[in-house]
Amino acid sequence: MPPQQMEREAPQSVMKTTKRLIGFFKESRALILGMLGLLTASTLLNLLIPDLISRAIDTLDLSAGRLSVDWDHLNTILLILLGVFVFSSLFSYFQGRNSAKLTRTTTLTIRKKVSEKLIRLPVSFFDSHRSGDMTARLTNDIDNIANLISQALGTALSAVIVIVGCIVIMLIKNPLLTLVCLSTVILNVLCTVILSKRMFGFFRKQQKSVGEMNSHVEQSVAAKKTIDSYRITDECIAENDRLSDELTDASVKAQVLGGAMPPLMSIIGNINFLLIVAVGALLYIDGGFGVTIGTIQAFTLYSRQFTKPINEVSGIISQLMTALASAERVFEIIDAEAEEDSGKKSLSDRHACSIRFEHVTFSYVRGIKVLDDFSLDIEPGQRVALVGKTGAGKTTLVSLLMRFYEPDDGCILIDGVDIREIPKAQLRRTVTTVLQNTALIDGTIRDNIAYGRLSADEKELYAAAEAANADAFIAKLENGMNTEILREDTRLSQGERQLLCLSRASLTQPRALILDEAMSSVDSATEKKIQDAMLGMMHDKTCIIIAHRLSTIRNADKIAVISDGKVVETGRHKELLERRGVYCGLYQNQYTESD
Ligand SMILES: Nc1ncnc2c1ncn2[C@@H]1O[C@H](COP(=O)(O)OP(=O)(O)O)[C@@H](O)[C@H]1O
Ligand SMILES: [Mg+2]
């Protein structure tokens, strides 16, 4: 796997990403401030409770040998306690609502930003990023970020308030008991750190397994037919079992460790309780330290409040790390360079256009040149066939012409204008490609054709279908133009799909039409249909035909033979055959049986 495809579980730069993430939420500032405010209020109120209870206990007086109660004082305290309970619950409730809203808005903001970006990314971006991975970024990663903001941030803040608050209150009440209380905290922290470190490892493994599992399932579904027909079902199941085992192993271990945490913490908590009560009782009996029964009670409660956030710290840190790693993945998309489009020159609307490749050099992977000083001249209205072995770079030429990729060297001209100076939208209107792998979208037949030019009206739509010879088969469908089809719909034959794509291309009304092996996977009857349609569509256009079958290229005005990244022969069919060169060899090897 190339490095960029590997899932990162830990953020690469904590500070940088955090800073950026904070900047990202400027728009939700009001909600975040509201959340923090409400949380602070309810946490502070909760901090008062043990103190109030201890005061209430101290209104009971046993010193005279019998119980006397300071009722006035007790009633006041109970009333205040009631108020504290009510307000703290209210604050918590509003805080919950607020944070739900925050989650919703942040998720929406980021998701919008990412999806908008995804659409604008250049084709080359997707060469190195799997689609499943992209889906995960739009779902899991964004959820992780939203959770961080709405949960972890709140938990962290209240943890800080509780820890600081408890220590201050305890110190004021009794420094000695505070020390006793803190001694067990060290034990607590130690256990938490050791356990959660190990748990973290298994947890990461678990997340990685989930990712692999998802990608495997996605692949199995997408390639179902291949898997079934090559009878690799068993291998597929075995792989699935292996991934499941890995996942189970990691998650069981993570859960066992996670399960050990609460009982351990409760043992430490009880030790803490015993120590406070024992030392507190000694101090009470001694009488010289201002310790009352209420003080002891308050300390047992405070130490509990105090240890809770400490136990949560590891969870928060892991959540923070997960979210930061997610944020980095999301930022990677947001930062990826969108297709820049600085072209300003407008082409004239003359019918056919000329296309010129001038010394084009290009490689996908550094060092492996696919095109090497490639030059080719195509005149307006000319029908040029490109032939060459599989992998010779024919499709690459088309991708360069459409500016899906940029040449490393040399340039491509349309009507004498460098295509880098033409706005991409116009370029892609001027030149239209029909590919071997037909790209249909989920929707009706009409939607699929209309994709060619969304502004086209009904009449133009039908005319386009007719021009591409697709009208007959469309009429036979249950709902005609309104028949719903799926992207990978197998109810349509390859040829019918191809005819739809031709209709779409025809609707675009391009000035140059490129057919990239558009007919290599259709039967000969459909081929005839497509060919007729093409001939009709081609008559006023410049055409580049990349074809396997000789019948399609035999009538071309010019045939260019590509080998080793350049044009090695050009000429008409007959001339080239007579020359007995590369074309002749290709023709004898490749084209004889299909012609
Ligand atoms: N996206 C890509 N990334 C890396 N290499 C690629 C990519 N697309 C094509 N190639 C390589 O470039 C070469 C030319 O491919 P292509 O233009 O598709 O050939 P043709 O259409 O003539 O069969 C091949 O060796 C192919 O493996
Ligand atoms: Mg190709």
Side-chain angles (χ1 to χ4, degrees):
M1 241 193 317
Q4 74 265 36
Q5 283 189 7
M6 264 189 298
E7 284 283 331
R8 281 194 309 272
E9 295 112 25
Q12 289 177 325
S13 160
V14 174
M15 281 316 290
K16 222 174 96 196
T17 312
T18 312
K19 235 170 152 178
R20 186 145 176 218
L21 205 54
I22 292 171
F24 216 76
F25 292 108
K26 285 223 170 90
E27 291 150 50
S28 314
R29 203 190 290 148
L31 280 174
I32 293 179
L33 286 181
M35 180 184 88
L36 298 184
L38 287 166
L39 202 85
T40 311
S42 76
T43 314
L44 283 177
L45 283 181
N46 275 329
L47 271 180
L48 292 178
I49 292 171
D51 184 52
L52 286 169
I53 291 175
S54 97
R55 283 170 201 269
I57 289 173
D58 286 341
T59 58
L60 314 177
D61 188 5
L62 276 165
S63 55
R66 61 183 186 85
L67 182 67
S68 71
V69 182
D70 182 350
W71 285 108
D72 282 350
H73 200 178
L74 181 60
N75 286 339
T76 320
I77 292 172
L78 290 181
L79 220 62
I80 296 175
L81 252 180
L82 182 70
V84 167
F85 279 133
V86 169
F87 276 101
S88 131
S89 310
L90 271 180
F91 288 151
S92 290
Y93 168 72
F94 284 114
Q95 196 265 324
R97 277 182 58 152
N98 195 61
S99 90
K101 196 163 166 200
L102 185 62
T103 313
R104 228 174 25 238
T105 40
T106 47
T107 318
L108 204 73
T109 322
I110 312 179
R111 199 161 282 157
K112 237 166 109 182
K113 214 159 189 150
V114 175
S115 354
E116 273 167 19
K117 192 55 179 269
L118 271 181
I119 290 176
R120 288 178 199 287
L121 284 176
V123 173
S124 51
F125 183 86
F126 296 92
D127 284 349
S128 53
H129 294 85
R130 290 167 297 176
S131 70
D133 184 38
M134 290 298 117
T135 321
R137 290 185 203 202
L138 263 173
T139 52
N140 287 354
D141 283 341
I142 292 179
D143 285 345
N144 286 345
I145 300 175
N147 285 343
L148 170 81
I149 304 295
S150 63
Q151 291 168 20
L153 192 64
T155 322
L157 177 76
S158 73
V160 172
I161 298 176
V162 167
I163 291 173
V164 174
C166 280
I167 292 182
V168 170
I169 296 176
M170 288 197 295
L171 277 176
I172 292 172
K173 280 191 165 289
N174 191 301
L176 198 61
L177 273 180
T178 310
L179 275 184
V180 172
C181 190
L182 289 184
S183 65
T184 52
V185 168
I186 295 170
L187 194 62
N188 197 322
V189 170
L190 225 66
C191 286
T192 312
V193 168
I194 294 171
L195 268 183
S196 51
K197 219 175 183 169
R198 298 216 54 191
M199 205 164 72
F200 209 42
F202 290 122
F203 188 61
R204 274 186 187 177
K205 234 178 170 168
Q206 180 185 339
Q207 278 195 321
K208 192 163 157 269
S209 293
V210 170
E212 282 175 0
M213 187 93 182
N214 282 348
S215 143
H216 181 71
V217 169
E218 196 184 279
Q219 195 173 318
S220 317
V221 174
K224 174 99 182 82
K225 274 192 181 160
T226 315
I227 290 170
D228 285 356
S229 55
Y230 283 97
R231 295 178 301 281
I232 43 179
T233 322
D234 288 345
E235 283 78 356
C236 202
I237 292 173
E239 176 68 4
N240 210 23
D241 287 350
R242 188 185 67 77
L243 289 172
S244 298
D245 284 348
E246 262 180 32
L247 176 59
T248 316
D249 186 57
S251 47
V252 164
K253 281 181 181 153
Q255 273 172 24
V256 166
L257 278 181
M261 206 88 136
L264 198 66
M265 291 305 136
S266 113
I267 291 174
I268 297 175
N270 288 335
I271 295 174
N272 178 40
F273 180 76
L274 279 177
L275 279 176
I276 290 172
V277 173
V279 177
L282 285 176
L283 294 178
Y284 175 66
I285 291 165
D286 187 77
F289 294 90
V291 171
T292 61
I293 302 285
T295 316
I296 299 172
Q297 164 70 10
F299 266 86
T300 60
L301 290 178
Y302 276 122
S303 75
R304 246 160 231 248
Q305 272 204 2
F306 179 67
T307 41
K308 203 173 135 247
I310 290 181
N311 296 340
E312 281 169 357
V313 165
S314 72
I316 298 172
I317 292 178
S318 106
Q319 209 174 355
L320 180 74
M321 291 302 145
T322 313
L324 287 181
S326 289
E328 282 180 357
R329 280 195 291 271
V330 169
F331 288 154
E332 196 194 329
I333 298 185
I334 294 177
D335 290 347
E337 227 161 285
E339 249 187 329
E340 91 334 316
D341 195 1
S342 53
K344 296 257 174 341
K345 279 200 187 163
S346 201
L347 293 174
S348 78
D349 246 350
R350 210 155 42 90
H351 260 312
C353 59
S354 73
I355 299 172
R356 232 177 116 103
F357 290 87
E358 272 184 7
H359 309 289
V360 173
T361 300
F362 176 76
S363 33
Y364 290 102
V365 184
R366 195 171 303 206
I368 307 174
K369 283 184 185 167
V370 176
L371 297 174
D372 188 4
D373 199 20
F374 179 96
S375 295
L376 180 68
D377 236 334
I378 301 170
E379 279 156 35
Q382 216 175 22
R383 218 176 294 164
V384 174
L386 297 181
V387 297
K389 290 189 194 128
T390 304
K394 304 179 294 288
T395 303
T396 305
L397 278 172
V398 180
S399 299
L400 292 178
L401 180 57
M402 301 302 282
R403 283 194 72 201
F404 293 145
Y405 301 89
E406 302 293 335
D408 301 328
D409 213 350
C411 60
I412 304 170
L413 310 169
I414 290 182
D415 284 346
V417 180
D418 190 324
I419 55 170
R420 277 169 291 202
E421 290 169 17
I422 305 170
K424 278 186 178 162
Q426 191 185 22
L427 171 70
R428 290 168 190 172
R429 249 196 336 268
T430 308
V431 183
T432 290
T433 342
V434 178
L435 300 166
Q436 174 179 8
N437 300 322
T438 49
L440 298 183
I441 52 166
D442 292 350
T444 60
I445 297 273
R446 179 195 312 275
D447 296 337
N448 269 283
I449 299 177
Y451 229 56
R453 184 159 50 92
L454 295 173
S455 61
D457 61 29
E458 199 73 350
K459 228 169 89 191
E460 289 173 308
L461 250 138
Y462 278 93
E466 204 181 312
N469 264 344
D471 49 342
F473 102 82
I474 294 174
K476 274 193 214 140
L477 293 173
E478 56 204 299
N479 293 322
M481 276 280 186
N482 297 320
T483 311
E484 291 277 348
I485 56 169
L486 296 172
R487 202 163 12 141
E488 298 295 338
D489 213 317
T490 40
R491 290 171 302 173
L492 295 181
S493 75
Q494 193 59 36
E496 288 167 341
R497 297 166 66 89
Q498 207 57 266
L499 289 177
L500 275 187
C501 290
L502 273 179
S503 314
R504 182 192 290 167
S506 167
L507 190 66
T508 313
Q509 298 176 332
R511 298 169 54 206
L513 182 66
I514 303 174
L515 302 163
D516 187 358
E517 310 201 344
M519 297 204 291
S520 38
S521 44
V522 301
D523 56 279
S524 47
T526 317
E527 188 192 344
K528 177 88 179 61
K529 251 193 220 165
I530 296 181
Q531 223 166 51
D532 291 347
M534 277 178 2
L535 282 176
M537 283 170 64
M538 281 177 197
H539 76 273
D540 57 348
K541 294 177 178 58
T542 306
C543 278
I544 300 180
I545 305 156
I546 301 169
H548 265 97
R549 297 202 182 144
L550 186 64
S551 48
T552 346
I553 45 180
R554 188 185 262 155
N555 299 320
D557 299 324
K558 177 153 118 181
I559 298 170
V561 185
I562 303 171
S563 178
D564 295 328
K566 21 174 151 329
V567 177
V568 289
E569 279 176 10
T570 52
R572 282 179 167 269
H573 176 66
K574 275 229 171 70
E575 292 163 24
L576 286 175
L577 274 189
E578 277 160 15
R579 201 182 292 173
R580 305 224 147 263
V582 184
Y583 179 76
C584 186
L586 272 176
Y587 166 68
Q588 277 166 353
N589 277 333
Q590 220 173 323
Y591 296 117
T592 30
E593 71 261 46
S594 53
D595 189 42

